[in-house]
Amino acid sequence: MRSEADLGGRQGRHFRFRNGTMDFNAGWVLGYSQLGGLAPGEVFECFNAIRDGNPDSWVAAFAGMAERQEAAACSQAPAAAARGYLAAAVAARAAWHLIDPANAQAQELHDRLERCFQAFLAATGSRLAAVELNTTVGTLPGYATAPIDAASDAASVWYVVVGGGDTFREDLWFFGGGRALAEGYDVLLVDLPGQGSTPYRGLHFGEATILALRELLVRLRAHRPAARIVLTGFSGGGYFILKALDDPATASIARVEALVASTPVTDIATLLRRGMPAALTSRPHGWRARLLTRVAGRMSPVMATALKKYWWQFGTDDLAELIDLAGQAGVVDVARLDQPLLAIVGESEPTEATRQASEVFADISRRYPASRMVHFAKWTGADAHCQVNNLGLAQDTIMAWLAKVL
């Protein structure tokens, strides 16, 4: 098949598959193998069963692996079972990368993801537990080391992880939650409206995403007055965390100690317009946009499946409306941000993401010299979007910086 770029321009080069979106997802799954779950050999066993550019073969390969891993884990001793349950969760999550959320199998895979991840937590005796977080915009699924509404005067560090448009709450364990636990931090992982399984609850991306995050930060601070809060965001989360804190009322109450973003973004609508294929964004309005999207989907089954997931998350199949909803909360007012920032950028990120990140860092670093901007070159293996191809290096970098600023 011909080479095809990733839908979001998140990697910039190919390693295993000629389809860019499939190849980015492949690097993502391999990146998780550094931290637990599927071993590289098990990941490649799935790859060998996949037809390049065919999303159904991707889903079948990883769904089958998830089923086998869970069945094996059920009969093993706790240590082996823990690895097996995490492997099953990762495989189920991997299958979700390229499935239509309207497919009945999607719900089954999500149920297995949650069941197996929580079995992994139980088998390891983790302090992390599933929680349901009530907000004015709806109830959100998450994981936390303690109920955020339980009063405590402990001077602990709370490590809050916020994902983007392609994450479930379980993903956030790999994007820093697990490492923060190992460092002795308290941890909060949450799916905001539009993320993870929340569209099944009628919750979609938009201003509600930001409002929910603001509420949670204020509540966490209200019940943990002596805690130090570190707010981290990956992918779209790099926009959500900045926008949550450019509200003076939220910022003054939450008193967040430090920000970590990969990548810090101020104008997510512009990023989406410039990151998506020109054929989809040149005429993003009305029936012409829908026609172009459907034609593109017929030419690329992977693109069609990826777009269906985004339509589901935003509650619309109109590209112009989707972009408007993404930017509904507005552009971040960086001058209002009052915390040191670790800005992380991979060399293979879209040019627009790098530009915005550089502007954010330049502004904040003038007020907070302890801020740092890290560029991961291709040779580091951490150059892809959110450093999915070398998460261990990214987390080493984050923890080293926090040791200096907290």
Side-chain angles (χ1 to χ4, degrees):
M1 64 171 286
R2 63 181 177 84
S3 181
E4 178 183 317
D6 171 48
L7 180 60
R10 297 168 292 182
Q11 186 165 270
R13 52 183 176 157
H14 297 256
F15 295 99
R16 173 74 184 194
F17 299 104
R18 293 181 65 80
N19 180 278
T21 299
M22 184 174 277
D23 198 60
F24 173 75
N25 291 335
W28 186 335
V29 179
L30 277 172
Y32 279 10
S33 70
Q34 290 180 289
L35 306 177
L38 291 173
E42 292 165 330
V43 175
F44 279 102
E45 179 66 18
C46 292
F47 289 170
N48 288 337
I50 294 169
R51 296 191 301 281
D52 204 340
N54 184 304
D56 291 341
S57 67
W58 173 283
V59 172
F62 281 106
M65 178 63 77
E67 183 176 356
R68 291 189 294 273
Q69 291 284 354
E70 183 180 17
C74 288
S75 62
Q76 292 173 329
R83 195 211 74 84
Y85 283 128
L86 187 57
V90 168
R93 172 64 188 92
W96 239 94
H97 278 302
L98 293 177
I99 196 168
D100 181 349
N103 188 320
Q105 189 183 11
Q107 185 66 66
E108 295 171 5
L109 286 166
H110 173 257
D111 291 346
R112 173 165 276 141
L113 165 62
E114 289 194 334
R115 182 174 66 246
C116 291
F117 185 78
Q118 290 168 26
F120 157 72
L121 294 179
T124 57
S126 176
R127 294 186 295 131
L128 202 63
V131 294
E132 292 288 315
L133 301 162
N134 295 319
T135 72
T136 58
V137 300
T139 302
L140 306 174
Y143 291 99
T145 49
I148 68 167
D149 293 324
S152 172
D153 292 326
S156 61
V157 176
W158 273 82
Y159 194 89
V160 182
V161 189
V162 178
D166 293 290
T167 55
F168 285 80
R169 57 177 172 167
E170 290 79 13
D171 287 304
L172 306 182
W173 187 89
F174 291 94
F175 283 100
R179 176 63 179 272
L181 277 169
E183 297 286 339
Y185 296 165
D186 279 306
V187 171
L188 174 61
L189 317 175
V190 60
D191 280 339
L192 300 171
Q195 296 178 324
S197 63
T198 62
Y200 284 132
R201 305 181 181 201
L203 302 174
H204 303 285
F205 280 123
E207 194 164 9
T209 308
I210 306 300
L211 294 176
L213 179 55
R214 287 174 177 165
E215 281 188 37
L216 294 174
L217 292 172
V218 167
R219 281 166 52 194
L220 179 60
R221 171 57 69 205
H223 293 92
R224 310 275 170 165
R228 290 172 292 171
I229 300 174
V230 176
L231 184 57
T232 71
F234 294 83
S235 189
Y239 166 75
F240 301 146
I241 66 170
L242 301 188
K243 190 60 192 171
L245 292 179
D246 82 346
D247 172 56
T250 300
S252 65
I253 297 172
R255 301 195 321 275
V256 169
E257 192 89 8
L259 294 171
V260 176
S262 176
T263 298
V265 169
T266 56
D267 185 350
I268 198 165
T270 296
L271 179 66
L272 288 175
R273 288 191 190 95
R274 295 182 180 176
M276 288 185 178
L280 299 181
T281 57
S282 56
R283 294 178 180 175
H285 296 273
W287 66 269
R288 289 183 178 86
R290 288 189 174 91
L291 178 61
L292 282 170
T293 300
R294 284 171 173 76
V295 169
R298 291 192 187 100
M299 295 174 62
S300 170
V302 170
M303 181 183 291
T305 301
L307 287 171
K308 285 177 182 177
K309 185 180 75 68
Y310 293 131
W311 301 156
W312 176 71
Q313 291 176 284
F314 281 88
T316 179
D317 66 351
D318 184 290
L319 184 59
E321 186 178 0
L322 182 155
I323 293 173
D324 289 343
L325 285 168
Q328 192 175 53
V331 176
V332 175
D333 186 344
V334 181
R336 292 179 172 177
L337 299 178
D338 197 29
Q339 300 83 15
L341 167 72
L342 175 61
I344 303 175
V345 181
E347 184 179 348
S348 296
E349 286 275 15
T351 301
E352 178 63 19
T354 303
R355 183 191 69 78
Q356 292 190 28
S358 298
E359 290 181 355
V360 172
F361 174 74
D363 189 303
I364 293 180
S365 62
R366 283 193 291 269
R367 299 191 298 280
Y368 289 93
S371 298
R372 185 182 173 203
M373 187 166 188
V374 178
H375 290 270
F376 284 115
K378 291 180 179 179
W379 71 265
T380 67
D383 59 301
H385 184 61
C386 296
Q387 292 66 59
V388 294
N389 46 353
N390 196 344
L391 287 165
L393 177 58
Q395 290 172 26
D396 286 346
T397 302
I398 292 168
M399 292 302 162
W401 181 73
L402 288 176
K404 296 177 180 178
V405 300
L406 291 180

